[in-house]
Amino acid sequence: MRVPLSWLAEYVDLAPGSTTEDVHAALVKVGLEEEDVHTFDVTGPVVVGEVLEFVEEPQKNGKTIRWCQVRVAPEGQLAADGGPDVHGIVCGAGNFFVGDKVVVTLPGAVLPGPFPIAARKTYGHVSDGMIASTRELGLGEEHDGILRLSTLGVDAEVGTDAIALLGLDDAAVEINVTPDRGYAFSIRGVAREYAHATGAAFRDPALREDFAPTGTDGFPVTVSDEAPIHGKPGVRVFATRIVRNVDASRPTPPWMVSRLKLAGIRSISLLVDITNYVMLELGQPIHGYDLDALTDGITVRRAQPGEKLTTLDDQVRTLSPEDLLITDGSGPIGLAGVMGGATTEMGASTRNVLIESANFDPVSIARTARRHKLPSEASKRFERGVDTRVAVPAASRVAELMVELAGGEAEPTGSLLGEPLVAEPILLPNGYVSGLIGIEYTDEEIRGSLVEIGATVEDAESGLRVTAPSWRPDITDKSDLAEEVARIVGYDRIPSVLPVAPPGRGLTRSQRVRRTVADTLAAAGSTEILAFPFLSASDNDKFGSPVEGTVPAIKVANALDASAPYLRTSLIPGLIAAAKRNLSRGLTDVSLFEVGLVFTPEQGKRYGQAELPSGVARPTAEQLAELNAGIPPQPRHVAVIIVGNAVAKQPGVAAIPSGIADALAAVSQVGLATGAQIDVIQGSHHSMHPGRTAELRVGERVVGYAGELLPQLALDSDLPRVVAVAELDLDAILESTDAEIAAGVIGTLPAATQDLSLVVSRSVPAADVLATVREGAGELLEDIRLVDDYRGKGVADDAKSLTFALRFRAADRTLTAAEASEAKLTGSALAAERFAAVLRE
């Protein structure tokens, strides 16, 4: 919300000399966060001038300029810049005439941009200033020609300060309005908050005696809401006023234009500007109809299926049965609380106006605005709750301004349907506020704070009975009242004390391991990313399963991107997209990882079919169980992608390209972080290179895959031919490992090392041979690693030679070479028994 200071000062006494910083500081004290400051950024001298004469001079470039003589000060007096009373000015516009009053920026002035004004030679003349347009002054976007003051209804003396005349010396503070404080979307509401912060006198613009409720027979209005949302009627109050014989061609006065501009709303026409002005002033959205375009009376009802409406933005909208409509005898003429219809809008030919000031149900308006993607200033206020008692004063205020500024004649009565909402009293127990906030408040402070915000306070048997003011629909229980006391008395009363964490709590095992995995991969040189969880069907099919085919996936009903409407079943596509983006920016050696959820629905099972509970009550345990049953499994995965060189080229060292070995190294790091023994065996995946794909297991459970992408798939993704990837199911690893990770004992006695070379069939996985040797060697074997896989001369074509490095150690003695050899040969014998392994000579 943008609040012009001159407007704010009409309803609350600003301290003399208050700046925008002072006003922001005061509003922050009562919880209204500062956002920005807005000014016109115009400095003088800028004055009213009169065009005395001009000569049109065609130029070689085809343009015609005017060499103008403009009086900028009363005859015989010095101008504001110290120059003569008549200045020669070159102007390229052609929309003004001799005798017109215009805005002249004299040398020394600065316009928004910043654009300093100085005397300069142009088109063969010295232009001593500039005649300004509306856009150059920051008052609007119109740039068809210079601003003629007569179009604003202004006839000021020559030499008058135009900055003050047009309200360009005003400034606005912008505040962030949270969803629970919709009353602050008005000058009225912000003025009241400033009064709370400073103790200044507040004058409520909605409490004028001449704004009393009108009669009910001024204009026929009916409500027919047969399908209210959550049982709440779509409209609570509907007030109208009629103003006849308005002159829609009159200009909007400069003070209103400047205030609307500072508040973030452009000036459209006088009648529309008045309705917007009152909306900002009182917080009550207003809509004006061309009375002569209405057929019969107004009916407020829900839309019929398939019904259509052309709104003020000239868009034809297909309506939903939930949409609340304003209709007349011809059909829909407006989306209630969101936007009016084109057929009854106020225009240049409007002579008679029907003013609508209504209070609509917040839920109904919010759903309509989102359904049609049509946020508006009106819907923004209705969604947060509008004071039900301000509808009549707002209609009367609009009628008053249309009489004053448009020359209209207001009919003495209007119509009023419905009654303002009466808030239910809230019991505030003794001691509750101090107990909740944590500091002591006196009874006088509590009562005084609640009275100050406009609440009615009465004594009750065990505390206070408090009725919230009509403009605070957000106050619904005793905790809201406690918050108001803390806010009004001052947040500075609340000490800054860090809470002490209660014992027996902390991160869960899953959270601890997840962080350890991320820290380990990052420490190894990889960079963590967070990719969007939305993919195309083809990307899910490529990586969601190791077997080629269609992978079950959840489709988002209202996808952000129509080309990626499915929730991901794998993390790899997001990593590929991130790697591609980094490569396009010159980062050729990339190692990325992500820890995140994937979505793995069961084939043929439908999700999200449970009926959503009403938002007005807490869901039951049965409802929550039904909702949870409608959510697909969401295991947490970790995935890595490595592109480019694992070791960069250095003096004396050639570059080492990355490959499957680097992916398996990342898998090993995940195993260390989780305390899991991840076995690597030959595997296959339809999106990975045959022969360069590993299946990853913990025990007998498959927990993921690692390898290199198919070269063509990598090239299609604009990546190098060799791209190493790995993806593991982190939840499955945790389920298959012990809850606690215990550090191994560091041996203090000497170790005995030996090598073992076994010739086996090429079809036998090396991991199976390694596991068998480990099993046969017994407890003395401390470590075993595969160090060579030889296939060539001296080995049969259908065989391979596997060389293992073994390390033996005993806990209580120094091993002899014979003991180590015996353990090795025992392992070799078991491998020979299972795989027909032969010792290589």
Side-chain angles (χ1 to χ4, degrees):
M1 174 69 185
R2 299 182 181 184
V3 184
L5 297 192
S6 66
W7 204 350
L8 183 67
E10 289 187 7
Y11 303 119
V12 67
D13 294 335
L14 299 184
S18 291
T19 64
T20 53
E21 290 77 11
D22 297 331
V23 175
H24 260 152
L27 295 176
V28 166
K29 288 174 60 178
V30 288
L32 294 175
E33 181 183 352
E34 66 176 286
E35 288 286 328
D36 204 352
V37 171
H38 301 272
T39 64
F40 285 104
D41 296 326
V42 177
T43 58
V46 180
V47 300
V48 173
E50 181 181 1
V51 180
L52 301 179
E53 62 178 6
F54 60 79
V55 177
E56 294 189 341
E57 299 179 354
Q59 303 298 311
K60 293 180 181 179
N61 59 7
K63 181 178 180 180
T64 298
I65 61 99
R66 287 181 173 182
W67 171 237
C68 309
Q69 300 300 312
V70 185
R71 184 176 299 283
V72 294
E75 188 173 357
Q77 297 183 17
L78 291 178
D81 66 336
D85 58 338
V86 176
H87 280 37
I89 298 174
V90 172
C91 184
N95 68 317
F96 59 93
F97 308 94
V98 171
D100 274 343
K101 297 285 184 67
V102 293
V103 177
V104 181
T105 56
L106 299 175
V110 179
L111 296 180
F115 180 52
I117 303 299
R120 63 189 182 94
K121 187 171 183 180
T122 180
Y123 293 109
H125 302 281
V126 175
S127 184
D128 200 13
M130 186 181 79
I131 306 175
S133 70
T134 299
R135 187 168 70 177
E136 288 163 341
L137 293 171
L139 282 172
E141 297 302 319
E142 295 80 6
H143 198 55
D144 295 335
I146 59 95
L147 172 61
R148 301 166 60 213
L149 291 177
S150 60
T151 62
L152 298 179
V154 174
D155 185 16
E157 295 293 329
V158 170
T160 300
D161 182 3
I163 292 179
L165 178 70
L166 299 178
L168 302 178
D169 53 352
D170 202 357
V173 295
E174 183 175 358
I175 57 174
N176 178 37
V177 179
T178 53
D180 61 330
R181 302 179 73 178
Y183 66 92
F185 270 123
S186 67
I187 304 298
R188 177 196 185 205
V190 176
R192 181 182 286 106
E193 291 300 307
Y194 182 85
H196 294 336
T198 63
F202 168 65
R203 297 170 291 278
D204 193 338
L207 296 183
R208 286 172 42 183
E209 293 183 359
D210 53 339
F211 284 174
T214 59
T216 60
D217 57 351
F219 188 84
V221 177
T222 57
V223 175
S224 178
D225 188 1
E226 299 176 355
I229 298 175
H230 296 161
K232 293 186 177 181
V235 59
R236 178 170 293 278
V237 176
F238 199 104
T240 67
R241 291 291 300 272
I242 293 175
V243 181
R244 299 188 183 275
N245 300 320
V246 296
D247 184 356
S249 65
R250 288 191 183 184
T252 303
W255 58 266
M256 184 176 285
V257 173
S258 64
R259 285 184 175 180
L260 289 173
K261 175 65 176 178
L262 280 176
I265 294 181
R266 67 184 180 91
S267 174
I268 298 174
S269 65
L270 177 59
L271 299 182
V272 175
D273 289 349
I274 288 173
T275 60
N276 286 333
Y277 186 85
V278 173
M279 176 186 66
L280 293 173
E281 185 173 70
L282 299 179
Q284 169 66 58
I286 303 288
H287 187 71
Y289 301 90
D290 186 328
L291 182 62
D292 298 326
L294 290 173
T295 305
D296 303 325
I298 280 180
T299 298
V300 184
R301 62 170 173 82
R302 300 286 171 179
Q304 301 297 324
E307 206 166 8
K308 297 183 183 297
L309 169 68
T310 302
T311 46
L312 286 173
D313 57 359
D314 292 326
Q315 297 294 314
V316 178
R317 303 185 183 276
T318 301
L319 305 175
S320 163
E322 273 196 354
D323 291 333
L324 192 67
L325 301 180
I326 308 297
T327 68
D328 67 357
S330 65
I333 58 173
L335 272 174
V338 179
M339 184 174 285
T343 59
T344 58
E345 68 174 314
M346 297 182 296
S349 61
T350 298
R351 295 292 295 164
N352 302 307
V353 176
L354 175 70
I355 302 165
E356 169 208 300
S357 179
N359 189 282
F360 298 108
D361 174 52
V363 173
S364 181
I365 301 307
R367 289 189 179 184
T368 294
R370 284 159 178 73
R371 183 180 300 112
H372 295 284
K373 297 180 176 61
L374 192 61
S376 65
E377 290 292 330
S379 66
K380 181 167 65 176
R381 287 163 172 79
F382 282 126
E383 289 174 11
R384 290 163 172 79
V386 173
D387 186 355
T388 56
R389 295 184 180 276
V390 82
V392 170
S396 299
R397 175 65 167 150
V398 171
E400 177 186 58
L401 290 174
M402 286 187 176
V403 170
E404 177 185 342
L405 303 178
E409 301 168 1
E411 293 193 353
T413 61
S415 63
L416 177 60
L417 190 68
E419 296 181 356
L421 179 67
V422 178
E424 292 292 330
I426 303 169
L427 178 63
L428 183 64
N430 291 329
Y432 177 80
V433 175
S434 297
L436 182 65
I437 305 302
I439 59 175
E440 290 297 324
Y441 293 101
T442 66
D443 293 342
E444 291 74 16
E445 286 177 326
I446 294 173
R447 183 184 291 268
S449 299
L450 297 176
V451 170
E452 186 173 342
I453 66 169
T456 302
V457 182
E458 300 174 343
D459 291 325
E461 183 177 347
S462 58
L464 299 176
R465 185 177 293 103
V466 183
T467 303
S470 58
W471 57 86
R472 294 299 303 273
D474 59 300
I475 299 178
T476 58
D477 58 33
K478 58 186 178 181
S479 59
D480 295 330
L481 296 176
E483 180 183 350
E484 290 302 303
V485 173
R487 189 173 68 89
I488 299 301
V489 173
Y491 292 130
D492 55 336
R493 281 272 297 273
I494 304 174
S496 299
V497 179
L498 288 175
V500 178
R505 298 186 182 181
L507 298 178
T508 64
R509 179 197 176 212
S510 174
Q511 291 170 331
R512 291 197 308 272
V513 172
R514 187 191 320 160
R515 293 189 181 189
T516 303
V517 168
D519 290 344
T520 301
L521 291 173
S526 194
T527 301
E528 185 174 12
I529 70 164
L530 293 175
F532 281 111
F534 308 112
L535 299 178
S536 65
S538 61
D539 281 342
N540 269 335
D541 291 343
K542 288 174 187 174
F543 298 100
S545 170
V547 181
E548 189 171 6
T550 301
V551 175
I554 297 294
K555 187 173 184 179
V556 180
N558 189 18
L560 295 175
D561 183 353
S563 64
Y566 292 93
L567 292 173
R568 65 187 178 188
T569 57
S570 168
L571 301 181
I572 292 178
L575 290 170
I576 290 175
K580 174 183 176 180
R581 189 159 50 249
N582 279 272
L583 260 66
S584 70
R585 296 173 183 174
L587 302 175
T588 55
D589 301 329
V590 178
S591 177
L592 306 174
F593 77 94
E594 181 178 7
V595 180
L597 299 177
V598 298
F599 306 83
T600 57
E602 297 177 20
Q603 183 73 49
K605 183 175 179 179
R606 300 189 66 186
Y607 295 91
Q609 301 302 307
E611 182 179 352
L612 291 176
S614 169
V616 299
R618 181 181 178 85
T620 64
E622 292 76 14
Q623 288 175 318
L624 291 175
E626 187 178 359
L627 289 172
N628 287 329
I631 300 175
Q634 300 176 41
R636 191 174 298 276
H637 282 200
V638 57
V640 179
I641 187 170
I642 306 167
V643 179
N645 292 324
V647 177
K649 182 180 179 181
Q650 304 171 49
V653 179
I656 301 177
S658 59
I660 185 174
D662 300 286
L664 293 177
V667 171
S668 176
Q669 290 158 0
V670 173
L672 291 172
T674 58
Q677 175 64 46
I678 302 178
D679 296 324
V680 180
I681 67 171
Q682 185 73 37
S684 64
H685 193 293
H686 70 98
S687 293
M688 296 185 186
H689 195 298
R692 296 184 184 179
T693 302
E695 184 178 273
L696 309 173
R697 294 183 181 180
V698 175
E700 297 299 319
R701 185 171 184 178
V702 178
V703 296
Y705 291 84
E708 297 174 6
L709 293 182
L710 287 171
Q712 188 58 51
L713 178 58
L715 294 175
D716 290 343
S717 301
D718 298 321
L719 296 176
R721 287 180 58 86
V722 178
V723 177
V725 296
E727 182 168 12
L728 298 103
D729 186 334
L730 201 53
D731 286 350
I733 293 175
L734 292 179
E735 291 173 6
S736 304
T737 55
D738 295 332
E740 297 298 330
I741 301 175
V745 177
I746 298 177
T748 58
L749 295 172
T753 58
Q754 295 197 14
D755 290 338
L756 174 64
S757 294
L758 298 174
V759 177
V760 296
S761 171
R762 289 193 179 188
S763 63
V764 177
D768 291 349
V769 179
L770 184 148
T772 300
V773 173
R774 180 192 291 123
E775 179 185 347
E779 295 181 355
L780 294 179
L781 181 63
E782 183 179 72
D783 183 62
I784 178 172
R785 291 180 294 111
L786 176 68
V787 295
D788 189 36
D789 182 338
Y790 176 74
R791 310 176 191 207
K793 186 177 180 180
V795 177
D797 292 341
D798 61 346
K800 59 185 176 182
S801 173
L802 302 176
T803 301
F804 300 96
L806 298 88
R807 184 171 70 239
F808 299 93
R809 193 192 310 266
D812 57 350
R813 67 188 187 281
T814 299
L815 287 179
T816 63
E819 288 177 305
S821 296
E822 182 180 356
K824 177 183 73 172
L825 293 175
T826 303
S828 173
L830 187 59
E833 178 184 336
R834 292 183 180 175
F835 306 114
V838 178
L839 277 171
R840 185 181 176 195
E841 298 299 333

